[in-house]
Amino acid sequence: MPFISLLDLLERQWAAHLRQVSLVSETDVPEEMATAAAEALGHVYGHEEVAVRWPACVAISLTRMAAAGEAFWPRWRAATRRRGNAAGWGRAFLAALDVFGLPREATAAQSIMLHAGRPVPEPPRRLLDPFGGGISGPEGEDLLVFAEDGRELTGDLPPGPVWVAHRRDGVLTSDGPLRTIAEGMLPFGWEHWRLALISLEGGSWLAAASSGADSRRRPVRGRAGPRLLPGEALGGVSAPDGSAILAGPPALWLPRGDWRVTVGHVGETVQRADPADPWALLPRPLLGTFTVTISDADGRPGRHTVTIAEGLRVRYDPPIRLFEGDGLAPADVSFHTGPGLTATPQALTLTAAQTTRALTCVASGRTLALTVRPPHMRVRVDRQWHTAPPRLTPEHRWLRLDLPGLANPPIEVIAGGRAVQELTAHARGDYPLVRLRDTVLAHGEITLRVRNITLATMSSPLGVTSDPWLCND
């Protein structure tokens, strides 16, 4: 079959190219060859899974057609003789990206745009700080819903507690009872909005009626179950198993019904607790890992485990450790405790090479060993994390930056004391180092920086430059 022979031939050539790039558009394929591949793929579509046998042909032909201009799906349908549909070809494209380890976006269409070198539209993202920090992002609709961790919920809503922001002239409506758990605060600029933590238990949708008109109904999925609502977690402090440490006991949220609650230290005898305040009968301050068991009327238990160091506070100086020289900036850590709780040591210092130190807390004869890991920056090169600027070579493929409070900033590429290139991250957060190969070959040595912080250096192979008139002295 001539179409299969053509695809087999192109696959061998194009697959080798895709293993050397970070975006499909970086391959140099003539448009007429990509169109011929698209026509061949249309003829064999359904013959077998095209993305398994010809992933390079799928990726390159779709990308090449998308790069040619707007509304590429009609042109693709014409080229493939209308075989298949957008959803099927989109799944094939994503599968092809996975074969070559190439980045993808949230949807197939966005992934095609990414690899075609065209802008990928990003929906506005909102985040919520319910206790005075407000909502980041545009106001948008009359009803905004957020998870307990502050993420905006744009799809179906969970049946448990959610934060809801709506205009004050509107009224929340549902086909089930709405129970307000807590009121939140919004800053200047949001005076006409109300923020509340509500329970969506018992309803199948949520809406906000405003000025005589109903807003879009937001579906609620499933059935609500008991929830522990954790309070403040101690950043940078963890239990030996890596779990978070709470500075106070979490609240318990229960759907309506008959519930039995027990609380106790892990591995010890538990005792019956008041569902309204499960911690009331325990000695304070709370210290250790606790199991909370919640049983319904049929006796089916659900277990939750939390680790608490009640009254512990931690202060880091600097708040975030940045790269400094050949390691991290040194850090001082101080601990503050409430009545009945002691921490040893009360202060400690981390050197440039240290990322963790041990802490011991004691209360009511109980001891809890903790690990302190002050917030710090780090970079991952391919699969390995570094806490000091690594030395890179042109063979490295990906770099990821983990810098608390700063998400995927552009990286300056410095050579000879000046910026010669800017490196930006893909949507998934990885920086493609392949884009630096020509730069390092031209200059011999380059430095990667963010806000005057050196992230890494890269050197070309000894004696190799892209221009015979350049040298690597």
Side-chain angles (χ1 to χ4, degrees):
M1 190 174 182
F3 294 111
I4 290 181
S5 299
L6 173 63
L7 291 172
D8 286 343
L9 175 64
L10 294 177
E11 185 68 25
R12 287 193 293 270
Q13 299 174 356
W14 291 356
H17 294 315
L18 286 182
R19 293 189 179 95
Q20 303 298 319
V21 300
S22 59
L23 290 176
V24 178
S25 60
E26 295 170 3
T27 58
D28 186 15
V29 174
E31 183 175 357
E32 58 272 17
M33 291 303 299
T35 302
E39 182 180 359
L41 288 170
H43 278 277
V44 301
Y45 188 85
H47 175 71
E48 61 180 279
E49 182 56 53
V50 293
V52 173
R53 183 166 177 178
W54 302 290
C57 292
V58 171
I60 288 180
S61 56
L62 254 171
T63 298
R64 189 68 180 83
M65 195 158 291
E70 301 292 335
F72 69 89
W73 280 122
R75 294 197 308 277
W76 178 260
R77 284 175 55 81
T80 57
R81 300 296 192 267
R82 303 185 181 279
R83 298 291 302 277
N85 54 36
W89 285 114
R91 288 192 296 269
F93 184 82
L94 294 177
L97 296 183
D98 292 340
V99 170
F100 297 101
L102 295 171
R104 58 153 76 187
E105 289 280 356
T107 67
Q110 290 175 327
S111 299
I112 294 171
M113 293 295 99
L114 169 69
H115 285 277
R118 292 173 55 189
V120 179
E122 292 190 4
R125 296 180 179 178
R126 302 182 184 93
L127 290 174
L128 168 69
D129 175 1
F131 300 110
I135 300 172
S136 64
E139 289 189 10
E141 302 176 359
D142 291 342
L143 176 66
L144 305 176
V145 187
F146 301 85
E148 294 170 70
D149 62 2
R151 293 176 297 107
E152 184 181 12
L153 300 173
T154 57
D156 291 356
L157 304 178
V162 294
W163 286 100
V164 176
H166 66 94
R167 299 186 185 276
R168 290 190 178 276
D169 61 354
V171 178
L172 292 178
T173 61
S174 177
D175 60 346
L178 293 176
R179 178 157 57 101
T180 299
I181 302 171
E183 294 282 346
M185 297 180 292
L186 289 172
F188 177 79
W190 292 81
E191 297 89 348
H192 303 297
W193 287 71
R194 177 175 178 261
L195 177 66
L197 180 67
I198 68 170
S199 168
L200 297 181
E201 170 198 1
S204 63
W205 54 266
L206 176 70
S210 178
S211 302
D214 289 344
S215 70
R216 177 174 63 93
R217 291 183 174 183
R218 302 286 302 276
V220 178
R221 63 178 183 270
R223 175 180 178 272
R227 299 281 301 279
L228 282 181
L229 305 177
E232 178 188 359
L234 293 170
V237 182
S238 61
D241 64 356
S243 59
I245 306 297
L246 302 182
L252 174 61
W253 178 85
L254 295 173
R256 300 182 189 278
D258 184 17
W259 299 94
R260 183 178 185 272
V261 180
T262 62
V263 178
H265 282 87
V266 169
E268 299 182 8
T269 302
V270 298
Q271 61 183 15
R272 186 77 177 261
D274 180 0
D277 185 1
W279 313 98
L281 300 179
L282 296 178
R284 311 301 278 264
L286 300 170
L287 181 68
T289 302
F290 299 83
T291 297
V292 182
T293 303
I294 308 163
S295 303
D296 60 15
D298 296 326
R300 293 172 297 189
R303 291 181 175 84
H304 306 265
T305 301
V306 293
T307 303
I308 305 171
E310 188 175 15
L312 179 64
R313 295 290 184 269
V314 186
R315 181 179 179 274
Y316 301 110
D317 185 19
I320 299 173
R321 303 175 69 191
L322 305 177
F323 285 173
E324 187 176 277
D326 294 330
L328 291 168
D332 294 322
V333 186
S334 58
F335 304 99
H336 307 272
T337 58
L341 179 69
T342 61
T344 306
Q346 292 184 336
L348 52 82
T349 297
L350 285 84
T351 66
Q354 294 176 313
T355 57
T356 61
R357 292 286 300 274
L359 173 70
T360 301
C361 289
V362 179
S364 302
R366 294 185 178 275
T367 301
L368 179 62
L370 302 174
T371 298
V372 180
R373 185 184 180 92
H376 62 270
M377 69 177 298
R378 57 179 184 161
V379 296
R380 187 179 73 188
V381 180
D382 294 335
R383 297 181 180 273
Q384 183 176 359
W385 284 102
H386 301 263
T387 54
R391 292 195 64 84
L392 309 176
T393 69
E395 284 68 43
H396 288 119
R397 297 194 63 188
W398 300 99
L399 181 142
R400 178 180 285 266
L401 171 62
D402 182 9
L403 181 54
L406 194 60
N408 304 330
I411 294 177
E412 279 190 320
V413 182
I414 307 298
R418 62 185 180 89
V420 296
Q421 188 179 351
E422 183 177 86
L423 189 64
T424 56
H426 288 325
R428 67 177 184 180
D430 289 326
Y431 295 84
L433 297 177
V434 66
R435 295 181 180 175
L436 302 180
R437 289 177 181 172
D438 290 343
T439 305
V440 73
L441 289 176
H443 295 277
E445 177 91 10
I446 58 176
T447 301
L448 278 59
R449 293 181 184 171
V450 167
R451 299 187 178 181
N452 294 323
I453 305 167
T454 297
L455 304 181
T457 57
M458 178 182 285
S459 302
S460 63
L462 291 176
V464 177
T465 64
S466 61
D467 188 327
W469 297 101
L470 297 176
C471 63
N472 291 326
D473 293 341

